[in-house]
Amino acid sequence: MELPYERQILRLLQELSHYQVVVRHCRQENAKYTDELEKTCREIERAVYEMEEKQQAALSQWRKINEQERTRIIFPVTSGVEKMAELAEQKGCKAMGQYLESMIMEEILGLLDQPEIYME
């Protein structure tokens, strides 16, 4: 199970590494866009830091409530996902509805199924 914001952080880090490679090549060639690329790297680094702060806040808040409260928070989402799948089927998109339901439910239930990640 991933931590909150883990995908976003990983995407930003991947993007940052690509930019850093380009910056190194630009420095070697004394390219005129180096400063702008370095600025973009700093912005991505700042975005990663902000996502990590959000991640820690989400974990901290989630750890403060008990399993029953977590279930009460999540239940309306699961109910909505089921309704979404029903609507998709009514509109002739049963397979997509099932896919979305499966994907979303896996994420949602993971919040409850792996307490070692979310507990101190």
Side-chain angles (χ1 to χ4, degrees):
M1 179 69 202
E2 293 180 348
L3 295 172
Y5 297 103
E6 193 70 18
R7 284 187 203 147
Q8 294 89 339
I9 291 170
L10 291 175
R11 282 188 202 124
L12 285 169
L13 289 172
Q14 184 178 29
E15 185 176 351
L16 177 61
S17 71
H18 293 304
Y19 271 96
Q20 289 172 334
V21 168
V22 173
V23 166
R24 278 193 297 273
H25 289 292
C26 286
R27 280 189 194 134
Q28 291 170 354
E29 297 174 12
N30 293 322
K32 60 183 176 182
Y33 302 111
T34 305
D35 290 342
E36 191 63 34
L37 291 168
E38 288 174 340
K39 179 182 173 192
T40 301
C41 286
R42 288 189 299 275
E43 290 170 356
I44 296 171
E45 289 169 346
R46 190 170 28 260
V48 168
Y49 177 76
E50 290 170 4
M51 281 290 163
E52 288 172 339
E53 284 185 331
K54 287 181 179 183
Q55 181 183 65
Q56 291 307 308
L59 288 171
S60 175
Q61 293 167 6
W62 198 246
R63 288 174 179 149
K64 290 179 183 177
I65 61 174
N66 63 40
E67 187 175 341
Q68 184 180 10
E69 291 170 323
R70 291 180 190 139
T71 301
R72 284 199 349 242
I73 289 169
I74 290 174
F75 182 76
V77 174
T78 61
S79 178
V81 168
E82 290 168 0
K83 289 179 184 176
M84 179 266 320
E86 290 171 12
L87 180 61
E89 184 174 355
Q90 291 170 7
K91 300 295 182 181
C93 297
K94 181 179 179 179
M96 182 54 83
Q98 290 173 336
Y99 165 72
L100 292 171
E101 181 179 23
S102 171
M103 180 185 65
I104 294 167
M105 292 301 286
E106 181 180 340
E107 291 293 320
I108 300 276
L109 295 175
L111 291 170
L112 298 174
D113 291 342
Q114 294 195 5
E116 67 275 3
I117 291 176
Y118 297 98
M119 302 299 291
E120 288 184 320

Coordinates of all heavy atoms in Angstrom, one line a residue, residues 4-34:
P4 N 0.0 8.2 1.5 CA -0.7 9.3 0.8 C 0.3 10.2 0.0 O 1.4 10.4 0.5 CB -1.3 10.1 2.0 CG -1.3 9.2 3.1 CD -0.2 8.2 2.9
Y5 N -0.1 10.6 -1.2 CA 0.7 11.5 -2.0 C 2.0 10.8 -2.6 O 2.8 11.4 -3.2 CB 1.1 12.8 -1.3 CG 0.0 13.6 -0.9 CD1 -0.5 13.7 0.4 CD2 -0.7 14.4 -1.9 CE1 -1.6 14.5 0.7 CE2 -1.8 15.2 -1.5 CZ -2.2 15.2 -0.2 OH -3.3 16.0 0.1
E6 N 2.1 9.5 -2.4 CA 3.4 8.8 -2.8 C 3.5 8.9 -4.3 O 4.6 9.1 -4.9 CB 3.3 7.3 -2.4 CG 4.7 6.7 -2.5 CD 5.7 7.2 -1.5 OE1 5.4 7.8 -0.5 OE2 6.9 7.0 -1.8
R7 N 2.4 8.6 -5.1 CA 2.5 8.7 -6.5 C 2.9 10.1 -7.0 O 3.7 10.2 -7.9 CB 1.2 8.3 -7.2 CG 0.9 6.9 -7.1 CD -0.4 6.5 -7.9 NE -0.9 5.3 -7.4 CZ -2.2 5.0 -7.3 NH1 -3.1 5.9 -7.8 NH2 -2.6 3.9 -6.9
Q8 N 2.3 11.1 -6.4 CA 2.6 12.4 -6.9 C 4.1 12.8 -6.6 O 4.8 13.4 -7.4 CB 1.7 13.4 -6.1 CG 0.2 13.3 -6.5 CD -0.5 12.3 -5.7 OE1 0.0 11.4 -5.0 NE2 -1.8 12.4 -5.7
I9 N 4.6 12.4 -5.4 CA 5.9 12.6 -5.1 C 6.9 11.9 -6.0 O 7.9 12.5 -6.5 CB 6.2 12.2 -3.6 CG1 5.5 13.2 -2.6 CG2 7.7 12.2 -3.3 CD1 5.5 12.7 -1.2
L10 N 6.6 10.7 -6.3 CA 7.5 9.9 -7.2 C 7.5 10.5 -8.6 O 8.5 10.6 -9.3 CB 7.0 8.5 -7.3 CG 7.3 7.7 -6.0 CD1 6.7 6.2 -6.1 CD2 8.8 7.6 -5.7
R11 N 6.3 11.0 -9.1 CA 6.2 11.6 -10.4 C 7.1 12.9 -10.4 O 7.8 13.2 -11.4 CB 4.8 11.9 -10.8 CG 4.0 10.7 -11.3 CD 2.7 11.1 -11.8 NE 1.8 10.0 -11.8 CZ 0.6 10.0 -11.2 NH1 0.2 11.0 -10.5 NH2 -0.1 8.9 -11.2
L12 N 7.0 13.7 -9.4 CA 7.8 14.9 -9.3 C 9.2 14.6 -9.3 O 10.0 15.3 -9.9 CB 7.3 15.7 -8.1 CG 6.0 16.5 -8.2 CD1 5.6 17.0 -6.8 CD2 6.1 17.6 -9.2
L13 N 9.6 13.6 -8.5 CA 11.1 13.2 -8.4 C 11.6 12.7 -9.8 O 12.7 13.0 -10.2 CB 11.3 12.2 -7.3 CG 11.1 12.7 -5.9 CD1 11.2 11.5 -4.9 CD2 12.2 13.7 -5.6
Q14 N 10.7 12.0 -10.5 CA 11.1 11.5 -11.8 C 11.3 12.7 -12.8 O 12.3 12.8 -13.5 CB 10.1 10.6 -12.4 CG 10.5 10.0 -13.7 CD 9.4 9.0 -14.2 OE1 8.2 9.1 -13.9 NE2 9.8 8.0 -15.0
E15 N 10.4 13.7 -12.7 CA 10.5 14.8 -13.5 C 11.7 15.6 -13.2 O 12.4 16.1 -14.1 CB 9.2 15.7 -13.4 CG 9.2 16.9 -14.3 CD 7.9 17.7 -14.2 OE1 6.9 17.2 -13.5 OE2 7.8 18.8 -14.7
L16 N 12.0 15.8 -11.9 CA 13.1 16.5 -11.4 C 14.4 15.9 -12.0 O 15.3 16.6 -12.4 CB 13.2 16.5 -9.9 CG 14.4 17.2 -9.3 CD1 14.5 18.7 -9.7 CD2 14.3 17.1 -7.7
S17 N 14.5 14.5 -11.9 CA 15.7 13.9 -12.4 C 15.9 14.1 -13.9 O 17.1 14.3 -14.3 CB 15.7 12.4 -12.1 OG 14.8 11.7 -12.9
H18 N 14.8 14.2 -14.7 CA 15.0 14.5 -16.1 C 15.5 15.9 -16.3 O 16.4 16.1 -17.1 CB 13.6 14.3 -16.8 CG 13.1 12.9 -16.9 ND1 13.9 11.9 -17.4 CD2 12.0 12.4 -16.4 CE1 13.2 10.8 -17.3 NE2 12.0 11.0 -16.7
Y19 N 14.9 16.8 -15.6 CA 15.4 18.2 -15.7 C 16.9 18.3 -15.3 O 17.6 19.1 -15.9 CB 14.5 19.2 -14.9 CG 13.3 19.7 -15.6 CD1 12.1 19.1 -15.5 CD2 13.5 20.8 -16.4 CE1 11.0 19.6 -16.2 CE2 12.4 21.3 -17.1 CZ 11.1 20.7 -17.0 OH 10.1 21.2 -17.7
Q20 N 17.3 17.6 -14.2 CA 18.6 17.7 -13.7 C 19.6 17.2 -14.8 O 20.7 17.8 -15.0 CB 18.8 17.0 -12.4 CG 18.1 17.7 -11.3 CD 18.1 16.8 -10.0 OE1 18.1 15.6 -10.0 NE2 18.0 17.5 -8.9
V21 N 19.2 16.2 -15.5 CA 20.1 15.7 -16.6 C 20.2 16.7 -17.7 O 21.4 17.0 -18.2 CB 19.5 14.3 -17.2 CG1 20.2 14.0 -18.5 CG2 19.6 13.2 -16.2
V22 N 19.1 17.3 -18.0 CA 19.2 18.4 -19.1 C 20.0 19.6 -18.6 O 20.8 20.1 -19.4 CB 17.7 18.8 -19.4 CG1 17.8 20.0 -20.4 CG2 17.0 17.7 -20.1
V23 N 19.9 19.9 -17.3 CA 20.7 21.1 -16.8 C 22.2 20.7 -16.9 O 23.0 21.6 -17.3 CB 20.3 21.4 -15.3 CG1 21.3 22.3 -14.6 CG2 18.9 22.0 -15.3
R24 N 22.6 19.5 -16.5 CA 24.0 19.1 -16.6 C 24.5 19.3 -18.0 O 25.6 19.8 -18.3 CB 24.2 17.7 -16.1 CG 24.3 17.6 -14.6 CD 24.8 16.3 -14.1 NE 23.9 15.2 -14.5 CZ 22.9 14.7 -13.8 NH1 22.6 15.4 -12.6 NH2 22.2 13.7 -14.1
H25 N 23.7 18.8 -19.0 CA 24.1 18.9 -20.4 C 24.2 20.4 -20.8 O 25.1 20.8 -21.6 CB 23.2 18.1 -21.3 CG 23.4 16.7 -21.2 ND1 24.5 16.0 -21.6 CD2 22.5 15.7 -20.7 CE1 24.3 14.7 -21.3 NE2 23.2 14.5 -20.7
C26 N 23.2 21.2 -20.4 CA 23.2 22.6 -20.7 C 24.5 23.3 -20.2 O 25.0 24.2 -20.8 CB 22.0 23.3 -20.3 SG 20.5 22.8 -21.2
R27 N 24.8 23.0 -18.9 CA 26.0 23.6 -18.3 C 27.3 23.3 -19.1 O 28.1 24.1 -19.3 CB 26.2 23.1 -16.9 CG 25.3 23.8 -15.9 CD 25.7 23.4 -14.5 NE 24.7 23.8 -13.5 CZ 24.2 23.0 -12.6 NH1 24.7 21.8 -12.4 NH2 23.2 23.5 -11.8
Q28 N 27.4 22.0 -19.5 CA 28.5 21.6 -20.3 C 28.6 22.4 -21.6 O 29.7 22.6 -22.1 CB 28.5 20.1 -20.6 CG 28.7 19.3 -19.3 CD 28.4 17.8 -19.6 OE1 28.0 17.4 -20.6 NE2 28.7 17.0 -18.5
E29 N 27.5 22.7 -22.2 CA 27.4 23.4 -23.5 C 27.2 24.9 -23.3 O 27.1 25.6 -24.3 CB 26.3 22.8 -24.3 CG 26.5 21.3 -24.6 CD 25.3 20.7 -25.4 OE1 24.4 21.5 -25.8 OE2 25.3 19.5 -25.5
N30 N 27.2 25.4 -22.1 CA 27.0 26.8 -21.8 C 25.7 27.3 -22.5 O 25.7 28.4 -23.1 CB 28.2 27.6 -22.2 CG 29.4 27.4 -21.3 OD1 29.2 27.1 -20.1 ND2 30.5 27.3 -21.9
A31 N 24.7 26.5 -22.5 CA 23.4 26.9 -23.1 C 22.7 28.0 -22.4 O 22.9 28.2 -21.2 CB 22.5 25.7 -23.2
K32 N 22.0 28.8 -23.2 CA 21.4 30.0 -22.6 C 20.2 29.7 -21.7 O 19.7 30.6 -21.0 CB 21.0 31.0 -23.7 CG 20.1 30.5 -24.7 CD 19.8 31.5 -25.8 CE 18.9 30.9 -26.9 NZ 18.7 31.9 -28.0
Y33 N 19.7 28.5 -21.8 CA 18.5 28.2 -21.1 C 18.8 27.5 -19.7 O 17.9 27.1 -19.0 CB 17.6 27.2 -21.9 CG 17.2 27.7 -23.2 CD1 17.7 27.2 -24.4 CD2 16.3 28.8 -23.3 CE1 17.3 27.7 -25.6 CE2 15.9 29.4 -24.5 CZ 16.5 28.8 -25.7 OH 16.1 29.3 -26.9
T34 N 20.0 27.4 -19.3 CA 20.4 26.8 -18.1 C 19.8 27.4 -16.9 O 19.2 26.7 -16.0 CB 21.9 26.8 -17.9 OG1 22.5 26.2 -19.1 CG2 22.4 26.0 -16.7

